[in-house]
């Protein structure tokens, strides 16, 4: 069974750094892209970017390029989303999802990680 | 930057049919955009319904169908049920591995 399990909720202050995780299981982690999706409170879904853990090839939405870093550690089947300096506007639910290559869609989803940034 | 547009809301009667669309701020949607559709209820992670225009994801009832209608991608719910009341999002492939979510449609069943 394919599963994506995300790390728990975080409460941070503006300017702090953060790295959240997404652990895949039940499939070959290095053979599928993993993506991240943002959902700000009361708003829609936003496609942030994807990474191919096999070779760490990463693609970012222009809206998120330079704002976040997506990485992966294939030795532990885990993808990451990180911020070097959080802003209040980073407050959101973040989902990871497996991204099917060549068909360009998300087929399995994590449960979400709520990030709250507040002074 | 290209905006992917969806109707903000739709209302459908139980047993009725509703068609949601997914368009581009400039240009037409074709199968080359690999449109996919997702359902999200409040407090839940999204659920994948349709990919590659018209292929239903595993376990998705056949009352959900995808197509290209004119210059847009479309999701049709035939025989709407109460638990279809959700937000629906499309995704389009823009090239170079990048995709974009649509603005989302809130469907009410009443």
């Amino acid at each position: 069974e394919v599963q994506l399990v995300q790390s728990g909720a975080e409460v941070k202050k503006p300017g702090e750094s953060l790295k959240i995780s997404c652990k895949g299981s039940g499939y070959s982690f290095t053979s599928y892209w993993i993506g991240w999706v943002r959902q700000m409170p009361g708003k829609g879904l936003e496609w942030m970017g994807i990474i191919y853990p096999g070779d760490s090839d990463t693609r970012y939405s222009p809206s998120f390029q330079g704002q976040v870093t997506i990485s992966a550690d294939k030795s532990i089947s885990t993808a990451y989303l990180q911020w070097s300096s959080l802003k209040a506007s980073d407050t959101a639910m973040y989902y990871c999802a497996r991204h099917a290559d060549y068909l360009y869609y998300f087929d399995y989803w994590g449960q979400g990680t709520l990030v709250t940034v507040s002074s | 930057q290209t905006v992917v547009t969806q109707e903000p809301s739709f209302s459908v009667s139980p047993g009725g049919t509703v068609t949601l669309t997914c368009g581009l701020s400039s240009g037409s949607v074709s199968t080359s955009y690999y449109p996919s559709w997702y359902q999200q209820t409040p407090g839940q992670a999204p659920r994948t319904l349709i990919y590659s225009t018209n292929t239903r994801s595993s376990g998705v009832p056949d009352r959900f169908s995808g197509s290209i209608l004119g210059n847009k991608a479309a999701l049709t719910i035939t025989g709407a049920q109460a638990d279809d009341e959700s937000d629906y999002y499309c995704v389009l492939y823009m090239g170079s591995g990048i995709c974009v979510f649509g603005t989302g449609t809130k469907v009410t069943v009443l």
Side-chain angles (χ1 to χ4, degrees), chain A residues 5-10 19-23 36 111-114:
Chain A
V5 178
Q6 298 184 231
S7 49
E10 301 274 1
K19 193 173 190 178
I20 62 175
S21 66
C22 170
K23 184 173 176 60
W36 290 93
Q111 83 276 18
T113 296
L114 180 63

Side-chain angles (χ1 to χ4, degrees), chain B residues 28-93:
Chain B
S28 299
V29 177
S30 67
T31 56
S32 299
Y33 284 85
Y34 296 88
S36 54
W37 291 89
Y38 305 85
Q39 177 191 49
Q40 188 184 35
T41 52
Q44 299 296 314
R47 171 196 182 197
T48 305
L49 295 177
I50 301 284
Y51 63 92
S52 195
T53 306
N54 56 12
T55 303
R56 271 186 298 277
S57 192
S58 177
V60 174
D62 59 7
R63 65 178 183 273
F64 293 95
S65 62
S67 63
I68 298 291
L69 283 182
N71 61 351
K72 297 182 180 182
L75 174 71
T76 299
I77 309 173
T78 304
Q81 299 183 1
D83 60 4
D84 295 336
E85 188 161 293
S86 302
D87 295 322
Y88 292 84
Y89 297 90
C90 65
V91 166
L92 299 180
Y93 175 61

Side-chain angles (χ1 to χ4, degrees), chain A:
Chain A
E1 179 194 8
V2 174
Q3 284 194 313
L4 297 171
V5 178
Q6 298 184 231
S7 49
E10 301 274 1
V11 180
K12 292 289 193 179
K13 295 188 186 318
E16 292 185 330
S17 63
L18 176 64
K19 193 173 190 178
I20 62 175
S21 66
C22 170
K23 184 173 176 60
S25 63
Y27 72 100
S28 174
F29 186 74
T30 55
S31 299
Y32 289 84
W33 295 78
I34 287 278
W36 290 93
V37 175
R38 183 175 79 175
Q39 188 166 39
M40 299 175 74
K43 301 299 184 183
L45 302 173
E46 298 175 270
W47 198 97
M48 300 177 72
I50 53 174
I51 187 166
Y52 191 75
D55 62 7
S56 293
D57 186 4
T58 309
R59 314 291 172 89
Y60 291 95
S61 163
S63 300
F64 291 94
Q65 180 82 48
Q67 308 304 308
V68 296
T69 301
I70 294 171
S71 60
D73 184 341
K74 61 185 178 183
S75 70
I76 54 172
S77 301
T78 300
Y80 301 97
L81 178 65
Q82 70 180 88
W83 297 259
S84 58
S85 181
L86 286 160
K87 302 184 285 287
S89 58
D90 292 317
T91 294
M93 180 71 81
Y94 293 88
Y95 295 100
C96 69
R98 195 178 79 166
H99 197 257
D101 201 4
Y102 299 115
L103 295 177
Y104 310 108
Y105 76 104
F106 290 122
D107 57 359
Y108 289 91
W109 294 78
Q111 83 276 18
T113 296
L114 180 63
V115 173
T116 303
V117 183
S118 174
S119 54

